[in-house]
Amino acid sequence: MSDESEKVVPKQELHTFVVRAMEAVGLQSDRGSVLADLLVSADYRGHYSHGLNRLDMYLNEIKSGTASKENKEPDIVKESAGTALVEGNNLIGPYVARFCMDLAIQKAKTAGIGFVSCRGSNHFGIAGWYSLRAMEQGFLGMAFCNTSPMMVPPRGTTRTLGTNPLSLAAPANNGDSFVLDMATTAVALGKAELKDRKGEPLPSGWTVDKSGHETHDFKNLHGLMPLGGKEESSGYKGYGLAMMVETFCGILSGGAFGPFVRQWKAFERPANLVSLLLFGQCFIAIDPSQFEEGFTDRMQTLIDACRDQPSADKDPVLVPGDPERNHMELCDKLGGIPYHENQITFANEIAATYKLAPMKTL
């Protein structure tokens, strides 16, 4: 059951609300539907930082002209049998990213692997949504995105790299799978925002103030720590992973990278500068049948070896993708997605701003 302070929203109700909101700022319904698919999936899988919580950002991207609502498509700048470079033309991020992953899947079907690097895109939401598209075809899927600089490197004071998420989805047997979907910062910024929205302090190892020192107060938040937190607890590893993502995305594509990516929610930038500051992304699809037979069996064996070991306490050992699977089962039992009452208030404020009917809850 959901907590008494939570409200349950049917998935289709959330989807319709997102499409209506994006139509209110002039985005075509087919592109709003792609965004809605992404946001519903994020919250259904339990990634609340990148679902409904991000709707206002996408609305502001379109309303301000930071992202284009023109009726055009991403362009393939150059390609080979297994690779492609894509120009996103400043379209809304999920629309560009879905195009790129579908292109990678198409190439994997013929070449065994598809590797697509993209520039000129915008925030694409949860990376796992794209890697799962490849996995649904029986492939391994990988997705990466550089983002607005929010990470302060170990020993530093300047926001230099983004949260730079990465994902790998790999199929196992009987619908089982390994689905890694993570930021290379200790947390995504949205998780800190949700803590603030709920009136809770920030945990240790998440954020730093302007002096580069740890803070637990959202009002003092200047930047995010890399995965691992402080240097002595291996923060340099998350820092290195973030630079790897920059290499695949901004560096390889010829797009913006590192501190030169548009600042977070900087919607006021002049249109003629936007193309130089947009996000880069990378998508990989791999056909495991081009390698040794029995991939899903071996993947399942590894998953089982992790899950089936004795636990240190009463909680079972999980593999990446299990928390999401558990959350989806909860949503299915509830008949929708449970939201904290403050998140519903947030959605109602959006509805009032754009003169929309509010979402219906169960």
Side-chain angles (χ1 to χ4, degrees):
M1 295 294 292
S2 62
D3 187 273
E4 288 183 2
S5 65
E6 293 180 328
K7 302 291 185 181
V8 176
V9 178
K11 288 192 294 180
Q12 186 57 49
E13 178 68 17
L14 174 60
H15 191 283
T16 301
F17 180 74
V18 172
V19 173
R20 288 190 289 119
M22 297 308 296
E23 286 178 331
V25 293
L27 188 68
Q28 295 160 284
S29 60
D30 63 328
R31 300 181 185 201
S33 184
V34 173
L35 174 62
D37 289 344
L38 169 78
L39 299 188
V40 171
S41 177
D43 284 348
Y44 181 50
R45 295 179 65 78
H47 292 276
Y48 284 106
S49 59
H50 282 63
L52 176 61
N53 184 60
R54 280 281 165 264
L55 179 56
D56 65 330
M57 183 201 69
Y58 291 107
L59 288 164
N60 283 321
E61 278 187 347
I62 295 298
K63 186 170 64 172
S64 67
T66 304
S68 174
K69 59 185 177 183
E70 291 184 43
N71 184 22
K72 54 186 178 183
E73 299 293 325
D75 292 323
I76 300 174
V77 178
K78 62 169 68 172
E79 65 179 324
S80 68
T83 66
L85 170 64
V86 171
E87 168 57 56
N89 289 322
N90 194 23
L91 300 173
I92 194 164
Y95 189 77
V96 175
R98 190 185 68 165
F99 173 92
C100 291
M101 179 49 92
D102 287 352
L103 179 60
I105 292 168
Q106 175 187 330
K107 290 182 177 297
K109 288 179 178 178
T110 56
I113 185 169
F115 190 115
V116 177
S117 187
C118 170
R119 64 185 184 226
S121 187
N122 287 286
H123 192 282
F124 78 175
I126 57 168
W129 192 63
Y130 307 98
S131 56
L132 285 166
R133 289 181 75 82
M135 194 184 78
E136 289 166 0
Q137 302 291 320
F139 297 158
L140 283 74
M142 301 183 75
F144 312 82
C145 182
N146 71 6
T147 66
S148 302
M150 283 300 300
M151 178 195 292
V152 176
R155 308 185 185 186
T157 59
T158 303
R159 295 190 299 254
T160 306
L161 301 169
T163 59
N164 291 14
L166 59 87
S167 176
L168 167 64
N173 291 335
N174 302 315
D176 207 351
S177 58
F178 167 87
V179 183
L180 175 68
D181 187 353
M182 55 174 269
T184 54
T185 46
V187 291
L189 177 62
K191 285 189 170 63
E193 292 173 334
L194 285 174
K195 285 288 185 183
D196 181 58
R197 190 162 287 152
K198 295 177 181 179
E200 300 173 358
L202 302 177
S204 297
W206 278 25
T207 58
V208 296
D209 58 22
K210 289 186 177 181
S211 71
H213 297 118
E214 186 173 47
T215 181
H216 301 280
D217 188 341
F218 186 83
K219 293 190 293 295
N220 295 331
L221 189 159
H222 171 65
L224 300 173
M225 289 186 181
L227 183 65
K230 297 179 180 179
E231 183 174 0
E232 56 264 33
S233 57
S234 300
Y236 57 88
K237 294 180 181 178
Y239 175 40
L241 284 172
M243 290 192 71
M244 180 192 77
V245 173
E246 291 287 356
T247 303
F248 284 164
C249 297
I251 304 290
L252 196 61
S253 71
F257 53 87
F260 311 110
V261 178
R262 183 179 75 230
Q263 291 293 318
W264 181 243
K265 295 189 177 181
F267 303 118
E268 74 282 356
R269 289 198 182 273
N272 64 331
L273 295 180
V274 164
S275 62
L276 304 176
L277 302 161
L278 298 177
F279 296 2
Q281 290 151 6
C282 180
F283 306 87
I284 303 171
I286 302 170
D287 181 359
S289 72
Q290 298 300 315
F291 299 86
E292 183 58 50
E293 296 297 322
F295 174 85
T296 59
D297 292 336
R298 294 191 299 275
M299 191 76 244
Q300 191 66 57
T301 298
L302 176 58
I303 289 172
D304 291 343
C306 293
R307 282 197 192 121
D308 294 345
Q309 63 183 276
S311 61
D313 51 37
K314 63 180 180 179
D315 295 321
V317 176
L318 303 178
V319 299
D322 283 349
E324 290 87 345
R325 188 176 291 107
N326 292 340
H327 191 267
M328 289 187 287
E329 290 177 359
L330 171 65
C331 291
D332 292 343
K333 290 177 182 177
L334 295 174
I337 302 169
Y339 289 100
H340 188 277
E341 59 186 356
N342 290 352
Q343 292 172 284
I344 298 298
T345 299
F346 168 70
N348 289 341
E349 290 170 353
I350 289 177
T353 298
Y354 296 98
K355 297 180 173 57
L356 305 171
M359 287 193 302
K360 298 175 183 176
T361 61
L362 297 179

